[in-house]
Amino acid sequence: MQTIKENFSTIIQEDLPLAKHSSFKIGGCADLAAFPRTKEELASLVALAKQENIKTLVVGNATNMLFDDAGFRGLIVFTTALKRVIWGEDFVEAEAGASLTAIAGEAVRRGLSGLEFAYGIPATVGGAVYMNAGAYEAEISRILTESTYFDGEHIRTRPLADHAYGYRKSVYQTSGDIILSARFSLQKGNAEELQKLCEDRMKARKEKQPLEFPSAGSVFKRPEGHFAGALIEKCGLKGYRIGGAEVSEKHAGFIVNRGGATSHDVLSLIEHIRAEVMKTFGVYLETEIIHVSERP
Ligand SMILES: Cc1cc2nc3c(=O)[nH]c(=O)nc-3n(C[C@H](O)[C@H](O)[C@H](O)COP(=O)(O)OP(=O)(O)OC[C@H]3O[C@@H](n4cnc5c(N)ncnc54)[C@H](O)[C@@H]3O)c2cc1C
C-alpha cells in the first residue's frame, strides 16, 4: 500500500467513508480510494495495485452499489474525474466518469436523438456500459458502437458485438476489464420534441420513484413475465422496515434508506422480500444491486 500512496499521493485518500460516496449512503471506510484524472493515470494505478496484490474495485457514481458496513480492505477507484466528451454529427464519445444524464441532456440540446432513454439514470458512462443500463424499452446496447478498456496490461477497443449484452448483463461483469470510454451512435432529431420527452419522463420518475430518499434504484432484476415491484407490493410489503431500510411506499421495487440504514438492514430486508415473494408467487428475485462484500 505504501508504494501506491507514494506514487499517487495527489489522487489517493485513506479511510474514505463509502457512505458519503454512494447513492444509498451506506458503507464503512475504504482503506484507500483514488480519483484518477486521466485514463492513463487510472490504468497505471490499477496496474500498480495489481502488482502490489491490492484488492481493487473500479466504480462510477456508486448508484447501483451496496457497500458493506465493514468497508473495503483495498483500493476503490472512482472514475468520476474522467469526464472528457467528444461530440460528432452522429455520435458522442465519452470517458467512463462522464454523467450519462448530462450527456443525454446535451445530446437533446444539440438535436441528437438516441440517448433520451438514459436521461434521469444517475449513472456514469462506465457504470451504464457495465450494467447495460436501460429504461423505456431501450438500453445502452442499442446505441453503443464500441468501448475502450484496460485489461490490466493494455488499452484496447471492443466493438459492440463483443460485449455479450443481455438484460443488465455485459461482458465486463466477467472479464474484469476496466471501461475507459464509450462511443454511442446518435441520429438527427427535433431538439424541442426530445426536450419535451425528457422533461415528461423526468416528471414521471419524480412521481413514481422515491428520489427524496437515498437508494440504489431497483433492487431486483425484472423476473421473466413479471415486475418485481408489483410482486412485492402484492405481498403487502410496501413500507415494511428492518432497521433504517424500508420497502418504499412509493415504489415497492426500491429499498430506501430512511436514516441510519446499514448494509445488514438492507440484506436482511432483501432476504425477507425474497422469501415472501417466493412463498406467494414461486418467483425467485435476483438482485440487480451489487453488494460489495468482504466475504470470499
Ligand atoms: C434513483 C435511481 C434510479 C435509477 N434508475 C435506473 C434506471 O432507470 N435504469 C437502470 O438501468 N438503472 C437505474 N439505476 C441504477 C444505476 O444508476 C445503474 O445501474 C447505473 O448503470 C450504475 O452506474 P454507476 O456509474 O453508478 O455505476 P456503479 O454503481 O458505480 O457501478 C456499478 C457496477 O459497474 C462497475 N463499474 C462502474 N464503472 C466501471 C468502469 N469504468 N469499469 C469497469 N467496471 C465499472 C462497478 O464495479 C459495479 O460493479 C438507478 C439508480 C438510482 C439510485
Side-chain angles (χ1 to χ4, degrees):
M1 289 228 181
Q2 202 50 36
T3 321
I4 289 258
K5 284 196 261 179
E6 281 165 16
N7 287 18
F8 292 92
S9 60
T10 54
I11 56 160
I12 287 273
Q13 288 186 36
E14 286 181 67
D15 297 323
L16 185 93
L18 292 166
K20 286 198 180 151
H21 291 268
S22 71
S23 59
F24 232 150
K25 304 285 173 241
I26 292 174
C29 286
D31 288 346
L32 293 180
F35 298 82
R37 295 153 299 192
T38 64
K39 295 193 253 191
E40 293 72 22
E41 193 170 48
L42 190 157
S44 54
L45 168 68
V46 170
L48 181 59
K50 190 176 166 195
Q51 203 181 304
E52 299 278 306
N53 272 323
I54 297 172
K55 190 163 73 159
T56 303
L57 176 70
V58 177
V59 302
N61 279 339
T63 60
N64 205 41
M65 314 293 293
L66 175 60
F67 290 126
D68 202 273
D69 303 327
F72 189 76
R73 306 284 74 80
L75 167 69
I76 299 210
V77 181
F78 290 85
T79 61
T80 43
L82 300 176
K83 290 177 179 208
R84 246 164 36 105
V85 179
I86 298 165
W87 290 94
E89 278 192 5
D90 59 358
F91 74 89
V92 58
E93 196 172 314
E95 284 187 343
S99 150
L100 192 66
T101 289
I103 61 164
E106 180 58 23
V108 164
R109 271 187 291 283
R110 288 170 182 253
L112 291 171
S113 165
L115 264 165
E116 49 281 4
F117 77 89
Y119 190 74
I121 302 180
T124 59
V125 162
V129 169
Y130 181 99
M131 290 301 297
N132 192 17
Y136 307 106
E137 312 289 317
E139 52 191 14
I140 286 293
S141 59
R142 290 241 198 122
I143 53 164
L144 184 125
T145 49
E146 61 183 38
S147 60
T148 64
Y149 64 96
F150 180 60
D151 66 4
E153 286 176 19
H154 303 284
I155 293 179
R156 300 184 191 279
T157 298
R158 174 171 278 139
L160 170 66
D162 295 347
H163 280 68
Y165 269 135
Y167 171 61
R168 302 292 177 267
K169 278 208 162 67
S170 78
V171 68
Y172 288 112
Q173 294 169 13
T174 47
S175 70
D177 302 325
I178 290 147
I179 302 155
L180 299 174
S181 65
R183 188 174 169 125
F184 304 115
S185 81
L186 303 168
Q187 300 108 46
K188 283 221 163 13
N190 179 308
E192 267 176 41
E193 281 171 24
L194 293 170
Q195 183 75 38
K196 170 92 178 48
L197 186 66
C198 287
E199 280 167 12
D200 289 350
R201 286 178 171 174
M202 193 53 121
K203 200 167 153 245
R205 268 183 190 269
K206 284 182 185 154
E207 277 165 16
K208 290 185 187 146
Q209 298 183 357
L211 303 186
E212 60 280 25
F213 295 112
S215 81
S218 298
V219 175
F220 301 101
K221 292 186 181 176
R222 203 172 51 229
E224 214 156 321
H226 301 276
F227 288 102
L231 296 180
I232 298 165
E233 187 173 348
K234 282 182 192 153
C235 289
L237 289 171
K238 267 190 168 178
Y240 189 90
R241 208 158 161 166
I242 296 183
E246 183 184 273
V247 177
S248 165
E249 294 272 9
K250 218 175 188 181
H251 187 316
F254 282 58
I255 289 178
V256 290
N257 179 354
R258 292 300 306 262
T262 61
S263 63
H264 185 261
D265 294 340
V266 175
L267 294 171
S268 307
L269 188 51
I270 287 174
E271 283 318 314
H272 181 73
I273 295 168
R274 244 189 206 142
E276 289 298 302
V277 169
M278 179 53 85
K279 193 171 74 190
T280 314
F281 298 105
V283 174
Y284 178 77
L285 293 180
E286 190 189 338
T287 43
E288 178 170 324
I289 61 171
I290 298 157
H291 175 219
V292 181
S293 162
E294 286 300 311
R295 282 164 289 181

